[in-house]
Amino acid sequence: MHLVYPAVLAVLLFSVGLYGVLARRNAILVLMSVELMLNAVNLNLVAFDVWMRDTLHAGQALTLFTIAIAAAEIGIGLAIVLMVYRNRGTSDVDKLRDTAERPDDEPHDPDADAAARAQKAEATA
C-alpha cells in the first residue's frame, strides 16, 4: 500500500477542517471542523501503523484514544454551545466576546454595557 494516498487525503481533510475553524462563525460548525481535523489525524495514525507494520499496533491504539477524546470533546462542547444559545439566543462565535470576565477592580455598569451595545448596533446598521 502506498502511503501517499491516505496522507494526501488526511492533508485535504485537515485543510478543510482548519478552514472551517478559521472561517466559520457558528460554534457548531467550528466543532464539526475540529472533528474533521481529528479524523485526519486518525487516518494518518492508522496509515503509518499499517505502513510500518508495527506488531504492537500503537497507531491503532492511539486512534482509539483520539476517538475517545473526540467524543468527550464534542459532548462537552455541544453542551456548552447549547447553554450559550439558550442564554444569548445565538451561537455566533464573534458575538460571544461579550462573555469575557471583567477584572475584580473594574466596576460593572449595566447602563454603560447597554449604551455600548446600542452604539455597536447603530454602527453596524
Side-chain angles (χ1 to χ4, degrees), residues 2 4 21-22 35 39 43 60 68 70 74 80-81 87 107 118 122:
H2 292 287
V4 175
V21 167
L22 295 176
E35 290 296 320
N39 284 332
L43 181 62
Q60 293 177 18
I74 198 70
I80 291 171
V81 167
N87 290 334
E122 192 174 295

Side-chain angles (χ1 to χ4, degrees), residues 35-103:
E35 290 296 320
L36 269 178
M37 293 167 67
L38 288 172
N39 284 332
V41 170
N42 287 341
L43 181 62
N44 268 336
L45 285 171
V46 171
F48 276 97
D49 182 53
V50 169
W51 182 67
M52 293 177 65
R53 297 189 172 125
D54 187 15
T55 57
L56 295 176
H57 299 293
Q60 293 177 18
L62 285 173
T63 299
L64 289 175
F65 180 72
T66 307
I67 290 171
I69 295 296
E73 173 259 335
I74 198 70
I76 292 171
L78 192 58
I80 291 171
V81 167
L82 287 175
M83 288 306 296
V84 167
Y85 182 77
R86 284 183 185 172
N87 290 334
R88 294 283 183 161
T90 184
S91 63
D92 190 0
V93 177
D94 289 337
K95 292 183 181 177
L96 298 179
R97 293 185 184 160
D98 297 337
T99 61
E101 293 183 13
R102 291 178 169 71

Side-chain angles (χ1 to χ4, degrees), residues 104-124:
D104 291 335
D105 58 347
E106 183 180 328
H108 177 66
D109 186 12
D111 294 331
D113 288 344
R117 272 190 241 116
Q119 286 178 350
K120 186 176 180 181
E122 192 174 295
T124 58

Side-chain angles (χ1 to χ4, degrees), residues 2-37:
H2 292 287
L3 188 60
V4 175
Y5 300 127
V8 168
L9 180 61
V11 166
L12 291 174
L13 275 175
F14 195 86
S15 299
V16 169
L18 186 64
Y19 173 75
V21 167
L22 295 176
R24 297 294 177 181
R25 298 183 188 271
N26 190 346
I28 295 174
L29 292 178
V30 170
L31 288 174
M32 289 174 58
S33 298
V34 170
E35 290 296 320
L36 269 178
M37 293 167 67

